[in-house]
Amino acid sequence: MADKAQKLTLPLLVTRSKVIFPNNSQVIAAGRSFSVKAIEAARNQTDSLLFVSCQKNADDEAPTEDQIHKVGSLCRIISYTVRGTEVRIRVEVVERIQLETISEDPEGFITATGSVYRIPEPDYITSSSIIKAVQNALEEVPQIVAEMPKSVANVIASNDSAISVCFAVAEFLQGSKDDKQTILESLTAEELMQRVLLLISGEKQKDEIERNIQNAVRESSEKSQKEYFLREKLKAIKKELGENTDDKNSPESILEKLEANPYPEYIKKKVQNELKKYDMMPQGSLESALIQSYVDTLMSIPWFEKTEDNNDLKNVEKILDEDHYGLEIPKKRIVEYLAVKQLTGNLKSPILCFYGPPGTGKTSLGKSIARALGRKFFKASLGGISDEAEIRGHRRTYVGSMPGRIIQGMRKAGVTNPVFLLDEIDKLASSYKGDPASAMLEVLDPEQNTQFNDNYVEEPYDLSDVLFICTANYLENIPGP
């Protein structure tokens, strides 16, 4: 157990979070009134001695006796400087002390009565074993050794005292206040060694975590540099072969466009997979041409581009009157339709259908609606269509396959929210090639068109922002669906 010596009564300097150990010198900054007065009282004594102990809670401005650790250090002031309201002293830490009573002096500082509280030095063999264990633990953390001051390194290398070595290492290491206080309160050399080794182990874990993070960052950087080098090399090879790598349709340009724009994740993944297959195909092969055509189609379809609507109904009425004289009933119905759309905030409402003989202004009304709303306009003529693939597209397994009329229209419109005019919907006809009217149901039904599936595109496409308008010559001929 620790040895206790004669009792001393001295001024007590209470630190917020600084724990200091014997056999070294330390700089202490003090700003609180009772701390500054304790330093002044110690300096007025011939030997300039004072006690230094840490408070339990660093946030306490005026700690009481119960809030101060009872194990501290006996120090001698060797230098004193003043910086504004703060006093800085350098102290030589003489011994560890056990505080017994703490009281407030009439002069406004804290005094304490305590006694020197030495840890008994073990025998030579035990002391050598402790020093060797500490040295071995430090060697496992090269970062600590590299940052260690020469003064600490000399103590560890040349000192025969296990207590001095342990305290020197504990003073140097970055640990928490509670960990260091626990080390200061050790009762035996073996206990002191175990607590110091535990502190070194914590530093080792932190060093390993930092090293792993640095390795991960370096590997990621090296991978990026390697990919950049390989891409540049590939560009140079393609240039030598006479292949234009600066083309906007080149794989490199497509990948850059994918990363720079908010395409849906499933489209990004699809295009990346297709480009990987394209890179493995021999140039000029039929399959590479099909892949290139497919990727071009995917990239030209609007996935995120849209126009802002002009919801001013007065402006709609004005433009409709400018473009069409008369037709009061259709124009009134159009304004009502747009008013409902504006109030509800969506297009889940009946589809507008203009019917009448050719030349009565059905298509031009659709153009006027697009102009009034500030939307792009596209017209798809459905007259005479009897093949379902004209709506849904052809599967990519067929030679000459292409998207259906809907996706082609969206490509030409270039935005996800155009005014889409389905002209002559009453001319749709069924045949052995399928029922295009049923396919149109998926296009127009708001419950289905958020996931419209074109056979060529093979990925769901959202048509819910499109304003569909139909035209017909005879209502009786419009298909049942």
Side-chain angles (χ1 to χ4, degrees), residues 1-8 20-23 51-53 69-75 93-100 113-121 163 167 181-189 191-192 195:
M1 297 292 287
D3 292 336
K4 292 188 179 179
Q6 73 278 10
K7 292 184 180 180
L8 297 169
I20 56 178
F21 297 93
N23 305 322
F51 293 140
V52 177
S53 186
H69 287 290
K70 296 302 184 289
V71 176
S73 301
L74 172 63
C75 304
V93 189
V94 181
E95 279 292 353
R96 190 178 69 155
I97 50 99
Q98 171 75 51
L99 300 179
E100 296 175 8
T113 300
S115 53
V116 175
Y117 196 40
R118 295 189 183 94
I119 298 176
E121 192 71 49
I163 309 298
F167 279 150
Q181 184 65 34
T182 303
I183 291 172
L184 187 66
E185 293 176 1
S186 301
L187 298 178
T188 64
E191 186 180 4
L192 176 63
R195 292 176 177 176

Side-chain angles (χ1 to χ4, degrees), residues 131-197:
I131 293 172
K132 188 66 177 174
V134 172
Q135 288 174 339
N136 291 341
L138 287 172
E139 286 174 1
E140 294 179 6
V141 194
Q143 185 68 21
I144 293 179
V145 178
E147 295 175 355
M148 188 177 290
K150 287 185 178 180
S151 57
V152 179
N154 290 337
V155 171
I156 296 171
S158 60
N159 205 308
D160 294 332
S161 168
I163 309 298
S164 297
V165 169
C166 288
F167 279 150
V169 172
E171 185 70 55
F172 164 68
L173 291 178
Q174 299 294 322
S176 69
K177 171 181 73 70
D178 293 335
D179 288 341
K180 291 202 169 189
Q181 184 65 34
T182 303
I183 291 172
L184 187 66
E185 293 176 1
S186 301
L187 298 178
T188 64
E190 289 81 1
E191 186 180 4
L192 176 63
M193 175 196 70
Q194 290 172 0
R195 292 176 177 176
V196 170
L197 291 179

Side-chain angles (χ1 to χ4, degrees), residues 282-298:
Q283 289 293 326
S285 68
L286 176 61
E287 194 165 353
S288 68
L290 293 175
I291 292 174
Q292 187 175 21
S293 176
Y294 177 63
V295 171
D296 289 345
T297 299
L298 282 183

